[in-house]
Amino acid sequence: MAPDPVVAAAINALGATLLAHLTAPDLPPPFVSPASVASALALLAAGASGESAVELEAVLGGGVDGVAALAGAALSSSAPRATVDAANGVWAALGLQFSDEYLAAVSSLGAVARALTGAAEVNAWVSAATRGRVRSILPDAVAARAAVVLVNALYFKADWEAAFDARASGPLAFSRGRGRPPVSAHAMRRVFKRVHCACTPALTAVRLPYAGGEFEAVVALPADARAAPTTLLPALLALDACNGWEIPPSGVAVTLPRFSVEAGADLKSALAAAGVRAPFARGADLAPMLAGAAPPPVTDVLHKVCIDVDEKGTEAAAATAIATTRAILSFPEPFTADRPFFFGVRHVASGLYLFAGGVDAPVEWKEEGRAGGARGGNPAPAPGGLAPPGATEARCGSIG
C-alpha cells in the first residue's frame, strides 16, 4: 500500500496542534515527534470502536493501514550515512490477553505483544530501540496500575549532506527571549550552494539536506522576534502545499547554533485539543483490544523527545507510551464547607423549606473534647424530645 499524502498532512496538522497547545510564554519551547505520537495512536486505534475509533481515524487521516504505509516509507532509510528505526510494542497486564483481531491489526505496524511485568521491561525496550537516547518513558506508578501499555520508539541519526566545517565555527550572540540575557552560542557556519529557502511576512526558512537526500532539516525564524517559533509549523506546511520554496542562485550562508534538547510531556490535554477525547472518557469503546474484557479508558499519554545537532549531523529519538489503568477507582466527590455556607431544612415531598439561611460562625473545635454535650454545651433535651424551659431563649435569645 503506497503512503497516502492525506495521512502525512493529518499527522503534521496534529503536530502543529500539539505544539500550539504545549507552548507557553513562561516555559521552554516544546518539542514533539508527530511520527511517534501518530504511531502510538495507531496502536490505540487498532483496538478502538465507536466514537473513539472515529476521533482517532480523523486525527490520523485514516486507519491503521494508512499509518503503517506511511511509516514503512518514511521511518526507514537506505542512505549509507542515515539510520532511521521505528519500533512498536504492546503490553498487557498479567491475566489479560490481547484479542486475535487486535494482534492481526497491529502486525502491520510490526508490533509485538508481551506480558506487562513492570516499568523496567518497557523502559529497557525503549532504551534499546532508541540506542540509549530515551532511557525511560513509563514511570513505575503508571506501570503498577496499567492494564495495557502501547509504545512507539523512534530513532534517527544522519550526517549532513555537506558537513559544517568545524574550523569555521565560532561564537554567536544568541537572544534567548522570555526576558533572559543573551548568551554566546557555539555557532556552525557554512555557505550552501544549492538549498531551498523561503522568505514570507511570517518567517524566513531554509532546508538543509541530510546524506542520501531522503531527509532534510527545516530551520525557520519568525519574522516577529517576539513570536514563539513553535507556532511556525502551519506556515511551513502552507509553503510545502503551494511550492513556495526557491533555490537562490548565489547560495545561502547559514549560521546555525549547535544545540541539544530534551523535552517531555503528558499529551492528554493536547490531544483533547486536537479532537481526541472519547478514548479518555468512561465507555471509551476499546473492547476490540482485549479478549474477554474491555480495557478501561486511557489515563496517560507520555511523550519524550531528545535531539542533538552539531557540525556532523543530527541524532534524535522519541518515545510515546499510552496506558490504561486496570480499574477506575471511584473516589467520593469532595464537599467541604470551609467558608460561609447556606443551610436549610426542607420537606422532601413538597419541597417546602422550613428554615433557610446562612452560616459564617461555626462552633470552634476544642482539643479537650466535646465537654458540655453534643451540641456545644446546650442543655440536654427533656423526656419526650422537648427542650427544657428556657432552652430556646437561651440558645436563640429573646425574640420579642
Side-chain angles (χ1 to χ4, degrees):
M1 179 179 178
D4 185 346
V6 172
V7 177
I11 294 173
N12 285 336
L14 170 63
T17 301
L18 297 180
L19 286 175
H21 186 82
L22 295 172
T23 297
D26 56 341
L27 296 176
F31 227 103
V32 299
S33 169
S36 177
V37 174
S39 295
L41 290 178
L43 295 174
L44 181 63
S49 61
E51 191 63 24
S52 291
V54 171
E55 291 179 356
L56 289 166
E57 289 181 7
V59 82
L60 294 173
V64 177
D65 290 342
V67 176
L70 180 61
L75 303 185
S76 61
S77 176
S78 58
R81 292 185 290 145
T83 300
V84 187
D85 285 328
N88 294 296
V90 295
W91 283 260
L94 297 178
L96 300 177
Q97 185 176 354
F98 290 111
S99 68
D100 292 340
E101 293 78 10
Y102 177 75
L103 293 178
V106 298
S107 65
S108 63
L109 294 164
V112 177
R114 300 171 176 84
L116 179 63
T117 59
E121 177 190 2
V122 177
N123 291 331
W125 180 88
V126 167
S127 182
T130 61
R131 312 297 201 273
R133 297 309 310 273
V134 180
R135 296 187 179 276
S136 68
I137 188 64
L138 190 66
D140 289 331
V142 174
R145 56 179 168 77
V148 169
V149 177
L150 316 174
V151 185
N152 168 267
L154 177 62
Y155 177 78
F156 174 89
K157 185 175 183 179
D159 293 344
W160 299 115
E161 184 175 75
F164 289 85
D165 188 344
R167 294 172 296 181
S169 297
L172 172 71
F174 186 86
S175 300
R176 297 185 295 168
R178 291 187 284 138
R180 298 173 299 169
V183 296
S184 180
H186 179 128
M188 310 180 295
R189 296 180 173 89
R190 182 181 177 86
V191 175
F192 289 84
K193 295 298 184 182
R194 285 187 58 80
V195 293
H196 290 85
C197 70
C199 185
T200 76
L203 58 80
T204 301
V206 63
R207 292 157 42 184
L208 305 179
Y210 291 106
E214 294 179 327
F215 297 91
E216 63 186 5
V218 180
V219 187
L221 285 170
D224 183 351
R226 298 166 298 177
T230 48
T231 63
L232 295 181
L233 183 52
L236 291 167
L237 296 175
L239 277 174
D240 293 338
C242 69
N243 195 23
W245 299 88
E246 61 181 19
I247 301 177
S250 58
V252 180
V254 175
T255 301
L256 179 66
R258 287 178 58 168
F259 64 88
S260 180
V261 169
E262 292 187 7
D266 188 328
L267 299 181
K268 274 185 63 177
S269 62
L271 286 170
V276 180
R277 299 180 181 89
F280 308 130
R282 292 181 184 272
D285 298 322
L286 301 178
M289 186 177 295
L290 294 178
V298 172
T299 52
D300 302 272
V301 183
L302 308 174
H303 187 57
K304 284 187 177 182
V305 173
C306 62
I307 182 167
D308 291 301
V309 173
D310 61 18
E311 283 87 352
K312 185 178 180 182
T314 299
E315 184 178 26
T320 307
I322 298 175
T324 73
T325 55
R326 269 181 280 192
I328 298 297
L329 300 178
S330 296
F331 296 98
E333 292 293 333
F335 181 90
T336 303
D338 56 359
R339 58 187 183 277
F341 57 91
F342 168 91
F343 184 85
V345 177
R346 175 178 176 267
H347 178 243
V348 175
S350 68
L352 174 67
Y353 273 91
L354 280 69
F355 303 92
V359 179
D360 68 355
V363 175
E364 296 186 10
W365 172 256
K366 296 180 179 179
E367 291 294 339
E368 59 269 22
R370 294 186 285 179
R375 291 180 177 84
N378 296 311
L386 299 176
T392 301
E393 183 174 334
R395 292 179 60 187
C396 304
S398 175
I399 301 176

